[in-house]
Amino acid sequence: MNRQHMISCSQTIISPIIHELIFSIDTSLEYLYKYIELPLQNIFYCFGNISSCYFRRRSLIEFSRHSTQILVQSYAITFLLYFILLLFGHLFTISIQNHYFIDPFLSNNRQCINIKFVRIYDNEHDFENIRLKDNFIRENVIIGDQVYRKNISNYSQLYELLHLLEDDHYMICQRSLYIYARFHAYSSLLHSNYSQFRFFLPNYPSFTIDQPPFLDLCIHTSNHTHLEQIKSRFLPLASHYYASINVFLFDFNFTQVSLTLYILNNESIHLERSSIHTGWLYDIYSRFHFFKYNYALSTVLFDGLSVGQHFIDYFDYLYVPLPADPLLALNEMVQQALLILPLCGLVLWCVPSTATQFIKIVNNAIDKAVLQGQGSAQKWVAPLSPHHIHYKLDNEFELVFILGYQKTLNISYADKFLNEIQKRFRDLYKDDLTIGGFNRSFPFRVTYNKVLSDIEQEDEDAKKVKRAPRSYEESDKKQKTVKIVTKKGDVTTDEKKKKKPKQMATSNKQTINAVQKEELDEEEQEEQEKEEINNDEEKPIEETKDESLVNQGEKECLPLEEVQQPTLTVAEKLSAMGKKPGLFTKAPVTKASPKPEKGKPRKVLATSNASKIDISTIDYSKDKGGEKVGNGQTTITTPIADRPEQGDLKTMTVESPSITSGLVDGFWSKLKKVNVFASKTLTADDLRTGIEAMREHLIAKNVAADVAEKICESVSTKLAGKTLGSFESLTTNIRQAMRDTLVMILTPKRRIDILRDVVDAQQARRPYAITFCGVNGVGKSTNLAKVAYWLSGNDLRVLIAGCDTFRAGAIEQLLTHVRHLNNIFNEKNMPMIELYQRGYGKDAAGIAAEAINYAKDKKFDVVLIDTAGRMQNDEPLMIALAKLIHVNNPDLVLFVGEALVGNEAVDQVTKFNQALIDNARLHSSPRVIDGIVLTKFDTIDDKVGAAISMTYTTDKPIVFVGIGQKYQDLKTLNADVVTEALLK
Amino acid sequence: MDKNVNSEFVDESSQMFPLTIILSFLVVFVTIVILWWAKNRHKSFRRGECLLLCGTSNSGKTLLFCRLTMGLAKRTLTSMAINKGSMILETSSTDRPTKKIHVIDIPGNLRIRQRDFNTNKNSAKAIIFVIDSTTIKEESKDVSDYLYDILHEKTFRQQRLPLLILCNKQDINNDNITIQTIRNLLENELTMKRKTRASSVDVHQGKTELINDIGELGKETFEFSDVKDIKVEFVDGSALGTEKKSFADHYDDDDANNEKDIDSGGDETDADSGANLNKVYDWIEKIWIK
């Protein structure tokens, strides 16, 4: 890009800022003098007056002067330094993070709220007929070659420029640039290849444009027909000159902007949709004292599929499609349980009928899968339950979406469904979620059904499977459920009305009204309709109010010329340009209101066309309303899609806040929005490098490679979507999440208290049996001796069963241990520790059984069974081990592993576990490893990865760690220490 | 005279300029420290002012949390993160008719409760330990394990915090387990726990903390009345209680059969016999409004 231009830009933008800065410091100094220095001096004067000595008084006064002077000066300098520091810090973060945060500049006073219509016609004359608002022209900038970078003054110029766009220029409506930039910043979520191009803002030199091979257009529209026009106009252009044209369409809603991206090229027309929070949410949120404005700004939602997949046409939701096979659908509805819950455990919404029966399974799943964070698979199949559990974490709002269904159903679209549900749910309730308002109901059934049927439909289409028509009973049943649902749904709508009477109720009612007038084929919809009619009859007042809204909406939905006319008349009457869009504000209302029930946007349009309401009367009333507003207001209001009071045009327009169109207004107000104070949402891309480094680090610490991979994945899924506070860095966040995960993995899932269990065994008059198994040379016998030492130290009589009938000298080794231990505990009359052995070559399982019986007779408290070391792939020996364990059923099966192993650790424990499962006796639940003894822990310094590998793969706790050769060197694992060592 | 002072002042202040710079840096430093402190302070939630809800998994903590903070009963699942909220306590005192109490609900899952417990223990002013009365017989070991940790906790003992043991789910208490049975059960378990904990294997590289035994020294058995540092109280109640109807209604689209499911458990017990949270409220009131 042009360097000269950049310099001039920087001059234009920087010099006012500097002026601002100097001015503000001046003012602040003045304030400091007035309110701090003078009072302080006064206080010192007082002190001086009190003191008797004249000389002292003088010195005191002087001292006070000096000190206050110094203080004030230092504070002024501090302020300056501090803000310079902040500024540099901010610039630095901008430069290192590839994110374009232009909110501080653009979101100033809700600039992005303006709704403009760029209407493109084939006929140039139409443009001349349209009187253009000044601010619209001013705010749209053509970017491209220097020659064309000029502000346009009317539509004909705009039209000209649109023609000129053929030569690598493209136009961006500056107002929407904010949103566009936001979209861009998050487009990596959708497809990373978009991050190649950047923005150029004439006033902000930090943005550049790399010549895009495609054309980007930002167009505000409220009407599908406009879109069609635009499409038809640009499609030939696209195939001719450009690889593609990206058309960004903005639909404005109360709470969000949905951005529709059409990618037009000769091959396909793709559509993507995303919804974006904008600054005006501030109005809604400002009522909550703890709301943070930044949250709203950083909340970006994408609601669409990436390029190349099926596209969802936002405008083509004509009806709620019924799945091809209602029987199956019903089945699934019953057998699927979808639960949405925040991490803190409240169920926000669930498919009701199934909730109770699923709760146990889901609890189990949470225990096992979600908390453990098993990779990013987000799917969990209980080994014994007949259900699949899919889950999805939403880190931004800390939600978990859980979907459970019968294994037999084999639903292929579960993930897709969950994604869709997540998006919808967030769309609907993000306001409440942001403020943590779980204290309300979340009517979601309608959307849920719709999404379900949609996805099913898609799935069906994909499969191209013809299914039999549904039976009568089934349809009947279904009707019934829907009926109930709608009833309750309405009830909750009323509840909501009390809390936030603005948007939801209005929008719902509106759609309802629209639905009411529509002829519907679907049975459920008829049912729904009836319910709604009843409901409406109960509240006639509201309906009329809604009617007015609908009318306004209809007006907007009418063909363009008709809409334009009244607007112009109002425009003529009002001297101020900005007032007119007060009428326009209605447009997004109608357009976007079906958001909660996306199925019916068309209907609204259709109704408006069909009913053919007398336009002139509406126009008249409209004009009046506009006039009222015009008279009532002295200040110039700006076009803003403010959230309207229910059907009350006057209030709404009056409420529309004033806007300062200048970009540089007030240094302080700008600073408030600088990113230093803002937060940022993490994406998978942001995390990638950090996570990758973390993975390498873990592997370097001897964590098995695939375990490290999985842990990193789960950390990444835990972090993605989280908002990053301003003073937090990415690495600390990753480290913290990693630390949490590791501690969680290392923390035992089950209480382990051998001594307590021994007491139980004593009461049952049987010995407590512990089996030690593991590969050769890991220190089974040594640690068995340590455990024996510890147990005898607690006045328990221990019998060691020498079941290593394989290795030469194994029993002699144990004998030596027993002798030593008995020397230590020799004060008792009878030996505390005894060895039970039957020589070599015998059946180990038999010896163990004999030993247990012997212990029972001789009143031993604990039997420690030592087994021969075996390699995990030694099939016959593994079978023997399994037999030993299953025959004797010891209370505790400990796997002894050495901390030295790396990748091998996983193989060892899994093979041992698997062998125990595979060789289990029929019709008995297989015994698996209950715990792990980690030996040679002192030899590995900080390469403690084996601890993680083993616990992660088996999900079993590390019961003991061996940290030396002495009998006393038996400890329990300290999760914090290990985690610290891992992250060091 | 005045002249004199002024000239002196001017001279000295010009000399003092380096001092000003040093001071300004100092102030920067102080400001940063203050900001850092403010940020950190924000993190730890109201040190020593909160009501902590502890208990093993599935004992009804989150439900109790909902009841206390929102006044509703919601359907809950295993929590995966702590719940924070505040409840409004209506008092009889005239000067301040309501009092805001912060409530923290610590998930009962063994894997995460340690961490959450440790991070939040400093914020506690009072603790409610929730026990599932229906499963206490099977879970007494786990419950007492957790309870031991709480009774053993140094910070709690030093501050002599009050502990309320709430025997929850009295509305579906079919086995007729009374407070006394639970109390005896726990005392037995804790007696055992005292012995086994003392002699358990040391933690690797852990600090060896010498904290006094939870019970009375030299006494074989443990009794709750022996606990001197922590004021333990037992009450029974039910987080679900009389608001069962609202629980069902709260879900916008619950089916009829669901409602039935929830109601069925509590039909047999009469609503007055501890099947609500009055005692808990009384206890909270007692602590917060002395």
Side-chain angles (χ1 to χ4, degrees), chain A residues 217-239:
Chain A
L217 281 170
C218 291
I219 294 158
H220 302 295
T221 180
S222 69
N223 200 320
H224 191 211
T225 49
H226 295 170
L227 182 74
E228 289 298 334
Q229 285 173 13
I230 293 160
K231 240 163 69 179
S232 60
R233 181 159 153 33
F234 277 108
L235 195 56
L237 203 68
S239 40

Short mmCIF file of all heavy atoms in Angstrom, two decimals, chain A residues 217-239:
data_model
loop_
_atom_site.label_atom_id
_atom_site.label_comp_id
_atom_site.label_asym_id
_atom_site.label_seq_id
_atom_site.Cartn_x
_atom_site.Cartn_y
_atom_site.Cartn_z
N LEU A 217 -17.87 -7.24 -0.58
CA LEU A 217 -18.90 -6.21 -0.50
C LEU A 217 -19.65 -6.38 0.80
O LEU A 217 -20.01 -7.49 1.18
CB LEU A 217 -19.89 -6.36 -1.64
CG LEU A 217 -19.45 -5.83 -2.98
CD1 LEU A 217 -20.44 -6.28 -4.02
CD2 LEU A 217 -19.38 -4.33 -2.95
N CYS A 218 -19.84 -5.28 1.45
CA CYS A 218 -20.67 -5.35 2.63
C CYS A 218 -21.99 -4.69 2.32
O CYS A 218 -22.03 -3.54 1.91
CB CYS A 218 -20.02 -4.61 3.79
SG CYS A 218 -18.58 -5.46 4.35
N ILE A 219 -23.02 -5.40 2.45
CA ILE A 219 -24.32 -4.87 2.08
C ILE A 219 -25.29 -5.10 3.22
O ILE A 219 -25.36 -6.18 3.78
CB ILE A 219 -24.82 -5.55 0.80
CG1 ILE A 219 -23.91 -5.19 -0.35
CG2 ILE A 219 -26.24 -5.13 0.51
CD1 ILE A 219 -23.94 -6.13 -1.48
N HIS A 220 -25.97 -4.05 3.52
CA HIS A 220 -27.02 -4.22 4.51
C HIS A 220 -28.31 -4.50 3.78
O HIS A 220 -28.67 -3.79 2.85
CB HIS A 220 -27.22 -2.95 5.32
CG HIS A 220 -26.00 -2.50 6.01
ND1 HIS A 220 -25.42 -3.24 7.00
CD2 HIS A 220 -25.24 -1.42 5.83
CE1 HIS A 220 -24.36 -2.60 7.43
NE2 HIS A 220 -24.22 -1.50 6.73
N THR A 221 -28.98 -5.47 4.19
CA THR A 221 -30.26 -5.71 3.57
C THR A 221 -31.22 -6.25 4.59
O THR A 221 -30.83 -6.73 5.64
CB THR A 221 -30.13 -6.71 2.40
OG1 THR A 221 -31.41 -6.89 1.85
CG2 THR A 221 -29.58 -8.03 2.85
N SER A 222 -32.45 -6.12 4.26
CA SER A 222 -33.42 -6.66 5.19
C SER A 222 -34.38 -7.57 4.44
O SER A 222 -35.37 -7.99 4.97
CB SER A 222 -34.20 -5.54 5.86
OG SER A 222 -35.00 -4.93 4.90
N ASN A 223 -34.07 -7.84 3.24
CA ASN A 223 -35.06 -8.47 2.40
C ASN A 223 -34.42 -9.51 1.52
O ASN A 223 -33.34 -9.31 0.98
CB ASN A 223 -35.71 -7.38 1.53
CG ASN A 223 -37.03 -7.84 1.01
OD1 ASN A 223 -37.17 -9.00 0.64
ND2 ASN A 223 -37.99 -6.95 0.99
N HIS A 224 -35.11 -10.55 1.37
CA HIS A 224 -34.57 -11.63 0.58
C HIS A 224 -34.50 -11.27 -0.90
O HIS A 224 -33.58 -11.65 -1.60
CB HIS A 224 -35.43 -12.88 0.77
CG HIS A 224 -34.78 -14.09 0.20
ND1 HIS A 224 -35.50 -15.13 -0.32
CD2 HIS A 224 -33.50 -14.42 0.06
CE1 HIS A 224 -34.67 -16.05 -0.75
NE2 HIS A 224 -33.46 -15.66 -0.53
N THR A 225 -35.48 -10.51 -1.34
CA THR A 225 -35.50 -10.16 -2.76
C THR A 225 -34.30 -9.29 -3.11
O THR A 225 -33.72 -9.42 -4.18
CB THR A 225 -36.80 -9.41 -3.11
OG1 THR A 225 -36.97 -8.38 -2.15
CG2 THR A 225 -37.98 -10.34 -3.11
N HIS A 226 -33.93 -8.44 -2.20
CA HIS A 226 -32.73 -7.65 -2.43
C HIS A 226 -31.54 -8.54 -2.63
O HIS A 226 -30.71 -8.34 -3.51
CB HIS A 226 -32.47 -6.73 -1.25
CG HIS A 226 -33.52 -5.71 -1.07
ND1 HIS A 226 -33.60 -4.92 0.04
CD2 HIS A 226 -34.57 -5.36 -1.86
CE1 HIS A 226 -34.64 -4.13 -0.06
NE2 HIS A 226 -35.24 -4.38 -1.19
N LEU A 227 -31.53 -9.51 -1.82
CA LEU A 227 -30.42 -10.44 -1.89
C LEU A 227 -30.38 -11.12 -3.25
O LEU A 227 -29.32 -11.27 -3.85
CB LEU A 227 -30.60 -11.48 -0.79
CG LEU A 227 -29.50 -12.50 -0.70
CD1 LEU A 227 -28.26 -11.87 -0.12
CD2 LEU A 227 -29.95 -13.66 0.12
N GLU A 228 -31.56 -11.50 -3.70
CA GLU A 228 -31.62 -12.16 -5.00
C GLU A 228 -31.11 -11.23 -6.09
O GLU A 228 -30.36 -11.63 -6.97
CB GLU A 228 -33.07 -12.59 -5.30
CG GLU A 228 -33.57 -13.74 -4.45
CD GLU A 228 -32.77 -15.02 -4.66
OE1 GLU A 228 -32.18 -15.19 -5.75
OE2 GLU A 228 -32.71 -15.83 -3.71
N GLN A 229 -31.53 -9.99 -5.96
CA GLN A 229 -31.06 -9.00 -6.93
C GLN A 229 -29.55 -8.89 -6.92
O GLN A 229 -28.89 -8.91 -7.96
CB GLN A 229 -31.66 -7.64 -6.62
CG GLN A 229 -33.12 -7.53 -7.01
CD GLN A 229 -33.72 -6.23 -6.53
OE1 GLN A 229 -33.00 -5.34 -6.12
NE2 GLN A 229 -35.02 -6.14 -6.58
N ILE A 230 -29.08 -8.79 -5.74
CA ILE A 230 -27.63 -8.63 -5.60
C ILE A 230 -26.92 -9.84 -6.18
O ILE A 230 -25.94 -9.74 -6.92
CB ILE A 230 -27.25 -8.46 -4.12
CG1 ILE A 230 -27.80 -7.14 -3.60
CG2 ILE A 230 -25.76 -8.51 -3.93
CD1 ILE A 230 -27.91 -7.08 -2.11
N LYS A 231 -27.46 -10.96 -5.88
CA LYS A 231 -26.85 -12.20 -6.34
C LYS A 231 -26.82 -12.23 -7.87
O LYS A 231 -25.78 -12.51 -8.47
CB LYS A 231 -27.66 -13.38 -5.81
CG LYS A 231 -26.87 -14.31 -4.93
CD LYS A 231 -27.75 -15.20 -4.11
CE LYS A 231 -28.49 -16.23 -4.92
NZ LYS A 231 -29.33 -17.10 -4.09
N SER A 232 -27.96 -11.95 -8.43
CA SER A 232 -28.05 -12.06 -9.88
C SER A 232 -27.14 -11.03 -10.56
O SER A 232 -26.60 -11.25 -11.62
CB SER A 232 -29.49 -11.86 -10.33
OG SER A 232 -29.92 -10.58 -9.93
N ARG A 233 -26.96 -9.93 -9.88
CA ARG A 233 -26.13 -8.91 -10.47
C ARG A 233 -24.65 -9.26 -10.36
O ARG A 233 -23.85 -8.97 -11.25
CB ARG A 233 -26.40 -7.58 -9.77
CG ARG A 233 -25.59 -6.43 -10.33
CD ARG A 233 -26.21 -5.12 -10.01
NE ARG A 233 -25.29 -4.03 -9.94
CZ ARG A 233 -24.20 -3.85 -10.66
NH1 ARG A 233 -23.83 -4.75 -11.49
NH2 ARG A 233 -23.47 -2.78 -10.52
N PHE A 234 -24.32 -9.85 -9.30
CA PHE A 234 -22.90 -10.06 -9.07
C PHE A 234 -22.38 -11.39 -9.60
O PHE A 234 -21.18 -11.56 -9.78
CB PHE A 234 -22.58 -9.96 -7.58
CG PHE A 234 -22.41 -8.57 -7.14
CD1 PHE A 234 -23.35 -7.94 -6.35
CD2 PHE A 234 -21.29 -7.86 -7.53
CE1 PHE A 234 -23.20 -6.64 -5.96
CE2 PHE A 234 -21.13 -6.55 -7.14
CZ PHE A 234 -22.08 -5.93 -6.35
N LEU A 235 -23.27 -12.30 -9.81
CA LEU A 235 -22.81 -13.62 -10.22
C LEU A 235 -22.02 -13.59 -11.53
O LEU A 235 -20.93 -14.15 -11.59
CB LEU A 235 -24.00 -14.58 -10.29
CG LEU A 235 -23.62 -16.05 -10.36
CD1 LEU A 235 -22.74 -16.43 -9.18
CD2 LEU A 235 -24.86 -16.92 -10.37
N PRO A 236 -22.56 -12.94 -12.57
CA PRO A 236 -21.76 -12.87 -13.80
C PRO A 236 -20.43 -12.15 -13.58
O PRO A 236 -19.41 -12.56 -14.10
CB PRO A 236 -22.66 -12.11 -14.76
CG PRO A 236 -23.68 -11.45 -13.94
CD PRO A 236 -23.87 -12.30 -12.74
N LEU A 237 -20.51 -11.13 -12.79
CA LEU A 237 -19.31 -10.37 -12.48
C LEU A 237 -18.27 -11.27 -11.82
O LEU A 237 -17.08 -11.22 -12.12
CB LEU A 237 -19.68 -9.22 -11.55
CG LEU A 237 -18.77 -8.01 -11.49
CD1 LEU A 237 -18.81 -7.26 -12.79
CD2 LEU A 237 -19.19 -7.13 -10.35
N ALA A 238 -18.78 -12.06 -10.97
CA ALA A 238 -17.89 -12.94 -10.21
C ALA A 238 -17.18 -13.92 -11.12
O ALA A 238 -15.96 -14.08 -11.07
CB ALA A 238 -18.69 -13.69 -9.17
N SER A 239 -17.96 -14.53 -11.97
CA SER A 239 -17.34 -15.55 -12.81
C SER A 239 -16.43 -14.91 -13.86
O SER A 239 -15.53 -15.54 -14.37
CB SER A 239 -18.42 -16.41 -13.45
OG SER A 239 -19.49 -15.61 -13.84
#
